[in-house]
Amino acid sequence: MDIYKQAAELLKKAKYTVALTGAGLSTESGIPDFRSSTGYYSNVIPEDALSQRRMYNEPKRFYSEGYKILKDLEGKKPNEGHKSLTKLQEIGKLNEIITQNIDDLHQQSGSVNVLPVHGDASIAHCESCDFEEKFQDFDERVQKGQIPPKCPNCGGLLRTNVVLFGDAMPTAFEKALSATEKADTMIVIGSSLRVMPVAYLPRQVEHLIIINKDMTPYDSTADVVIHESASKALNKIIRCLDE
Ligand code: NAD
């Protein structure tokens, strides 16, 4: 049996399936990942540039360096890979999507039960009151030179809803732990599986399918490993499900 059929068989037999997605799923939407040869690590160190420490202590540097990664997400659209996951949900073969991505593309593609465990760049909030605004409005303040941006209601610090390095994990991560506990099958798509604590999740499931261009630390223990582009691999798996 080929690897696509094997993956399809696992999805057919599964009682509860979760997807765990990473930056590699969105490279086909024109958003660089972190660890590919053309990823952000080739010119910044994301752990510093997108850290809580940098945002608080060196806001000018934060908004001239790491913030560019958030600006790059503007106007991007879901690709065939995101659409395939939406289709898998529509045909009852995928229950929840745990995503490390901050680009909102699963939601834009119409997927449901999405758990953005590293937050969401499309929203900003005030650290002192319940004020929230869209990224475009937040960015207008930044582009006008209001650094750090201030809350129009209370004057508190406005910040992105992205989980920065050094931030606590959000409630979506607790939900991801519960989803993983319920699941017997996980399909990992476009993640190097190197960022903790998310990289711990694949250990919890009985059956693991990995779709990633490069090798991951879980390749040797997974049931099926497909080293290919996310959109092509998902498309082939869905065709096998239809057969
Ligand atoms: P990563 O950069 O560590 O790994 C991405 C993996 O995807 C690589 O191993 C690469 O081989 C693979 N890949 C690249 N393009 C692919 C494709 N078309 N099909 C299949 N595989 C492909 O990313 P990660 O594991 O998600 O972890 C790093 C962090 O990156 C996450 O915390 C995430 O928040 C952040 N991030 C998110 C975005 C986004 O929201 N789109 C973009 C950059 C970084």
Side-chain angles (χ1 to χ4, degrees):
M1 211 179 346
D2 73 28
I3 45 178
Y4 309 103
K5 280 194 183 140
Q6 281 176 36
E9 283 308 310
L10 282 174
L11 293 179
K12 275 183 197 167
K13 282 188 206 143
K15 293 193 178 69
Y16 203 90
T17 300
V18 293
L20 170 58
T21 67
L25 179 61
S26 295
T27 55
E28 293 175 69
S29 293
I31 303 169
D33 62 9
F34 275 0
R35 289 180 181 77
S36 290
S37 55
T38 50
Y40 285 112
Y41 271 108
S42 52
N43 50 42
V44 286
I45 299 169
E47 283 90 340
D48 294 331
L50 279 180
S51 67
Q52 193 197 64
R53 189 179 43 77
R54 180 71 57 83
M55 181 184 71
Y56 288 138
N57 300 341
E58 295 178 83
K60 285 212 160 68
R61 198 167 167 202
F62 177 86
Y63 283 98
S64 69
E65 290 179 7
Y67 186 70
K68 281 188 187 149
I69 296 176
L70 309 186
K71 283 283 286 170
D72 280 354
L73 305 175
E74 271 188 307
K76 299 296 189 295
K77 298 277 175 263
N79 63 53
E80 290 308 312
H82 297 100
K83 290 177 194 163
S84 289
L85 291 182
T86 304
K87 170 137 196 228
L88 280 178
Q89 287 196 311
E90 285 165 359
I91 61 174
K93 293 286 166 245
L94 176 60
N95 299 87
E96 302 194 54
I97 300 175
I98 301 166
T99 187
Q100 300 169 85
N101 293 343
I102 53 175
D103 54 27
D104 199 42
L105 295 185
H106 286 297
Q107 294 88 334
Q108 286 180 39
S109 134
S111 279
V112 292
N113 302 332
V114 180
L115 300 170
V117 292
H118 289 166
D120 176 357
S122 67
I123 315 270
H125 71 275
C126 173
E127 288 204 331
S128 309
C129 72
D130 57 8
F131 179 80
E132 274 195 352
E133 67 183 357
K134 283 195 241 147
F135 177 79
Q136 286 78 359
D137 299 326
F138 171 71
D139 185 49
E140 221 169 273
R141 300 177 199 280
V142 175
Q143 299 312 322
K144 279 185 191 151
Q146 198 189 104
I147 292 174
K150 293 272 164 38
C151 174
N153 284 353
C154 75
L157 186 78
L158 280 184
R159 59 158 288 172
T160 170
N161 280 18
V162 167
V163 178
L164 299 174
F165 289 95
D167 279 336
M169 291 299 274
T171 51
F173 184 66
E174 283 159 37
K175 291 183 184 165
L177 286 172
S178 308
T180 307
E181 261 171 40
K182 261 192 256 173
D184 54 352
T185 303
M186 175 179 278
I187 177 162
V188 174
I189 306 142
S191 176
S192 63
L193 294 176
R194 289 184 192 281
V195 178
M196 287 294 182
V198 171
Y200 174 71
L201 298 177
R203 277 193 216 164
Q204 308 301 312
V205 290
E206 197 181 337
H207 297 294
L208 185 60
I209 303 165
I210 295 180
I211 301 172
N212 200 58
K213 277 191 175 165
D214 294 312
M215 287 173 68
T216 81
Y218 284 91
D219 284 8
S220 58
T221 52
D223 296 71
V224 182
V225 179
I226 307 175
H227 287 147
E228 193 178 22
S229 98
S231 63
K232 283 190 188 144
L234 284 168
N235 190 15
K236 289 178 198 168
I237 293 170
I238 287 177
R239 266 193 270 145
C240 294
L241 281 171
D242 289 340
E243 278 169 10

